[in-house]
Amino acid sequence: SETLSEITKCIRQAVFSGNPTGFEDSGSIAFDHHFNSPGKQMRSRVCVKASEALGLDYNFSLHLAATVEALHNASLILDDFQDGALERRGSPTVCALFGRDVALTLTLRLTTASFVCLTSSPKAQNLNKLVNEVHRVVTETSIGQIRDLDPTRKTNAEDLKLTASLKSGPLFGLSISLPLIAAGFHGHVEKTYKIAQLFGLGYQILDDMSDSAGDSLQAADSNLVNCWSRDLGKDMATTHAFESAEKYLNQAKSLALELPHGCGTAIAGLITQLQQSES
């Protein structure tokens, strides 16, 4: 849509705003390659709709959504860098096509560009709190990624659930917490942390269900379904996984619908779509 195209444009402008004229920049080609397959942009959609529900300026809402989307794509490129992945969204990864150096520097530039997106709207407000919130989410996501890659980590179900919620949840939560902070609803922000934790966990369990066969071949298998299979057997583990995902997603949806002015409706709708696609 036009809105999503504007968000990508905002990110690109922020990423390359510091590049002196006439400087060759391989990151530009890598950026365009990665964003040519932008995915569903679920976080952007949720952020824009939440901002609209809270009465925020449209331009400001685009910048908030661009902040979240820049960080999400930074995490994807870093993920591929760390995993040595060759393909994402049906195309070669940035790391596979342009090399590890370009992938790492583009990750860094997207991360710092998220702060440029956040602060460059003329309608920006509550910036100190917004910047702190972005930093909190980057920290949580980074901890989740480190836990996921740590070969000495525990591999019991409870430990894997914590890792899953840290890896998958914070950026979804940021899609709602930023509009709430920008609109001055600071008292409701903590609830978004719980929504993010529950949503991230349910989302990751469903993802683990589809990836269980491939993950079982990895030396460091952090798949929750495979973990449960060792105790319950494959069939019971699959049933348990589906029921657990439903429980966490329903709890997240219920909390989202309690947020002011219906700003959680978008993420509640996203949860419903996710559940319907897996049923």
Side-chain angles (χ1 to χ4, degrees):
S1 73
E2 186 178 342
T3 296
L4 297 177
S5 176
E6 287 181 70
I7 290 167
T8 302
K9 183 179 178 182
C10 180
I11 297 170
R12 195 183 201 290
Q13 197 168 23
V15 168
F16 299 106
S17 61
N19 187 16
T21 304
F23 232 1
E24 184 179 347
D25 191 352
S26 58
S28 178
I29 303 170
F31 178 97
D32 291 338
H33 167 76
H34 178 75
F35 279 89
N36 275 341
S37 304
K40 297 177 182 176
Q41 296 179 279
M42 295 182 290
R43 295 156 192 80
S44 293
R45 295 175 189 274
V46 167
C47 192
V48 169
K49 289 181 179 178
S51 299
E52 184 180 72
L54 292 167
L56 294 177
D57 173 78
Y58 177 69
N59 179 270
F60 190 21
S61 74
L62 289 182
H63 281 75
L64 294 178
T67 301
V68 179
E69 197 65 28
L71 287 174
H72 172 57
N73 282 279
S75 74
L76 295 181
I77 296 169
L78 183 60
D79 224 12
D80 294 338
F81 172 90
Q82 292 175 312
D83 294 344
L86 300 177
E87 189 175 290
R88 178 173 291 278
R89 298 168 181 164
S91 299
T93 63
V94 170
C95 191
L97 195 59
F98 299 96
R100 291 172 63 83
D101 291 343
V102 172
L104 184 57
T105 54
L106 185 55
T107 296
L108 292 170
R109 291 170 77 173
L110 279 165
T111 303
T112 55
S114 70
F115 290 94
V116 177
C117 292
L118 184 66
T119 58
S120 58
S121 171
K123 298 289 185 177
Q125 49 196 330
N126 292 317
L127 278 177
N128 185 52
K129 288 185 171 62
L130 289 170
V131 168
N132 285 335
E133 177 68 359
V134 170
H135 176 66
R136 181 193 68 80
V137 165
V138 170
T139 301
E140 277 198 11
T141 305
S142 300
I143 291 170
Q145 184 71 353
I146 291 169
R147 287 174 62 91
D148 190 48
L149 295 168
D150 183 1
T152 66
R153 74 189 184 286
K154 298 175 184 176
T155 54
N156 61 68
E158 290 307 308
D159 191 70
L160 292 177
K161 281 162 65 176
L162 177 57
T163 300
S165 66
L166 284 169
K167 266 193 73 177
S168 303
L171 283 168
F172 277 109
L174 192 67
S175 300
I176 319 173
S177 64
L178 286 184
L180 281 168
I181 292 168
F185 289 94
H186 308 295
H188 295 269
V189 173
E190 194 149 336
K191 188 174 285 186
T192 68
Y193 303 161
K194 186 64 177 175
I195 293 168
Q197 179 187 32
L198 291 165
F199 180 83
L201 187 49
Y203 181 86
Q204 190 61 53
I205 290 172
L206 292 179
D207 193 55
D208 283 356
M209 287 175 67
S210 62
D211 292 344
S212 61
D215 288 345
S216 66
L217 302 175
Q218 305 297 319
D221 179 7
S222 59
N223 188 296
L224 263 165
V225 181
N226 293 338
C227 178
W228 285 322
S229 292
R230 290 192 281 273
D231 295 326
L232 304 174
K234 184 177 179 181
D235 290 343
M236 286 188 65
T238 301
T239 300
H240 178 68
F242 182 77
E243 290 174 349
S244 297
E246 282 287 294
K247 179 181 76 173
Y248 296 132
L249 290 172
N250 282 332
Q251 289 173 348
K253 183 161 52 174
S254 178
L255 287 173
L257 292 173
E258 293 175 5
L259 293 172
H261 298 284
C263 71
T265 302
I267 198 162
L270 178 61
I271 292 170
T272 299
Q273 289 176 20
L274 189 61
Q275 290 172 313
Q276 289 172 345
S277 68
E278 296 293 333
S279 61

